[in-house]
Amino acid sequence: MAIPTLDPNAPDFTRRCLNLADPRLGAKALAASDEFFAPKERMLDPQPAVFIPGKYDDHGKWMDGWETRRTRTTGQDWCVVKLARRGTIEGVDIDTSHFTGNYPPAASIEACTVAGDLPPDDVQWRMLVPPTALQGNQHHYLAVHHTDAFTHIRITLFPDGGVARLRVYGRPALDLQREANAGGEYVDFAAAINGAHIVAANNQHFGLASNMLMPGRGVNMGDGWETRRRREPGNDWAIVALAHPGVIRKIEVDTAFFKGNYPDRCSVQAAYVTGGTDESLVTQSMFWPTLLPEQSLRMDNQHFYEREIADLGAITHVRFNIFPDGGVSRLRLLGEFA
């Protein structure tokens, strides 16, 4: 598994929005015109693309992405992806990492809204990204200016080639309150699939903080937030913007798979924030009131807190502190609408 890295040149939408094409959330590559050299599903892998010298399979050089055969006729290659949730799209990343002499010269992104899996042949596709020139072995961050919500996207290659990764950054278009009223259960305001996102984290050396907001339990130690070993005073932290303002009634901190590297303790601060920038929240969060006082943690364990939670009323953001450093697999902030 590749160690995740944060691209300092990536636009803001890659940090503030959910990757709606993440298979961990339910996205699926449904169909493609061709996938001779590498399967379409590989293009949605949440891990960074890798290159393995000397690795070949029955079709040729093994590539970490979706790659079509060389076109010898007219036409273009395409792939249809069902998004994890219907949502508005703010930007995409067409990543051609490790594709050098075999990347597409250009690509476009279209979208549609349909029920079910594969869109019908007569569906109306809306252009989100017109045919755009691509380069080899690099990210292509492309903003989308469209207010409608979509369920599927189609990437078209002009005329063929390979794409290492496709990310579709957006916001789920769902009525959380209606769903909560129908189910009669607490809402997880920290769930990425509901629209929560990481505002900032002081360190993400071994694992991205956004992993804590993923559904289910972690699958291994790489599927969580893990910081480097701290060699100076202080503690590590991550700020989470909730999916919706809410009153927190139950907190879960899961250290699954973290054994010799789990945090000794954790705490949660919280506030109701209106306006301001993400950068300003980093300083503000140091002085937010305490939602959950410091609690001791155990290795590879689910920790649940209810009576320990302070009554702060409605909140929009939390600062999750770990002492002094280490790894956490999942963070759940369960509660009710304010």
Side-chain angles (χ1 to χ4, degrees):
M1 179 179 292
I3 295 177
T5 57
L6 293 172
D7 183 353
N9 299 316
D12 189 51
F13 64 71
T14 65
R15 288 177 287 273
R16 292 185 60 89
C17 296
L18 177 68
N19 175 19
L20 296 172
D22 192 330
R24 295 174 298 177
L25 301 175
K28 296 185 290 185
L30 297 178
S33 58
D34 185 85
E35 44 190 325
F36 183 86
F37 285 113
K40 59 187 181 300
E41 292 81 7
R42 206 174 284 166
M43 179 175 61
L44 305 186
D45 191 325
Q47 293 298 316
V50 299
F51 183 80
I52 304 177
K55 183 174 181 179
Y56 291 82
D57 57 25
D58 291 341
H59 292 272
K61 179 68 184 74
W62 184 92
M63 293 297 290
D64 194 7
W66 168 49
E67 185 181 2
T68 68
R69 74 187 77 201
R70 300 188 187 208
T71 299
R72 303 307 190 198
T73 59
T74 58
Q76 299 86 33
D77 284 321
W78 52 265
C79 179
V80 174
V81 175
K82 181 179 181 181
L83 302 178
R85 281 276 176 95
R86 185 177 73 91
T88 55
I89 298 172
E90 296 191 11
V92 301
D93 175 16
I94 303 175
D95 178 7
T96 58
S97 290
H98 310 299
F99 287 90
T100 54
N102 51 350
Y103 65 93
S108 68
I109 302 286
E110 300 164 284
C112 69
T113 303
V114 296
D117 278 347
L118 196 62
D121 292 339
D122 61 351
V123 70
Q124 181 183 1
W125 290 97
R126 309 283 291 278
M127 186 66 72
L128 301 187
V129 177
T132 301
L134 303 181
Q135 301 298 320
N137 195 34
Q138 72 178 51
H139 293 266
H140 301 82
Y141 299 109
L142 306 169
V144 171
H145 305 285
H146 211 297
T147 57
D148 290 348
F150 300 102
T151 59
H152 295 70
I153 64 99
R154 179 172 67 183
I155 179 171
T156 300
L157 311 182
F158 299 92
D160 56 34
V163 174
R165 295 291 186 266
L166 175 65
R167 313 293 192 215
V168 180
Y169 294 100
R171 301 180 187 276
L174 67 164
D175 189 337
L176 282 180
Q177 193 156 10
R178 184 176 65 183
E179 291 189 8
N181 291 338
E185 299 179 351
Y186 286 152
V187 173
D188 183 1
F189 292 107
I193 195 66
N194 289 337
H197 69 273
I198 296 293
V199 172
N202 74 304
N203 187 270
Q204 304 179 78
H205 188 83
F206 292 114
L208 300 180
S210 58
N211 288 334
M212 293 191 296
L213 313 185
M214 289 292 110
R217 299 196 71 193
V219 297
N220 54 41
M221 199 174 71
D223 188 19
W225 173 43
E226 185 182 0
T227 67
R228 64 172 176 83
R229 298 191 186 210
R230 175 173 282 272
R231 304 305 190 191
E232 64 277 351
N235 68 278
D236 293 328
W237 51 266
I239 298 174
V240 181
L242 304 188
H244 191 282
V247 179
I248 304 304
R249 303 297 187 192
K250 185 175 182 179
I251 295 175
E252 177 187 347
V253 178
D254 187 356
T255 57
F257 298 102
F258 290 99
K259 299 177 181 179
N261 53 351
Y262 66 98
D264 181 65
R265 308 175 312 283
C266 76
S267 72
V268 179
Q269 297 168 264
Y272 194 106
V273 178
T274 57
T277 64
D278 286 353
E279 291 75 14
S280 69
L281 291 179
V282 174
T283 301
Q284 292 179 38
S285 68
M286 298 171 59
F287 306 99
W288 289 347
T290 299
L291 180 67
L292 177 70
E294 282 191 30
Q295 305 291 323
S296 296
L297 297 177
R298 299 185 298 278
M299 71 170 70
D300 193 23
N301 197 78
Q302 289 174 284
H303 308 77
F304 299 96
Y305 308 104
E306 292 186 70
R307 291 178 299 175
E308 301 87 349
I309 299 174
D311 184 9
L312 299 184
I315 62 171
T316 59
H317 292 72
V318 303
R319 176 184 171 116
F320 178 54
N321 301 298
I322 57 175
F323 302 90
D325 55 32
V328 173
S329 178
R330 296 290 188 269
L331 174 67
R332 312 287 187 215
L333 300 170
L334 306 163
E336 305 164 332
F337 288 89

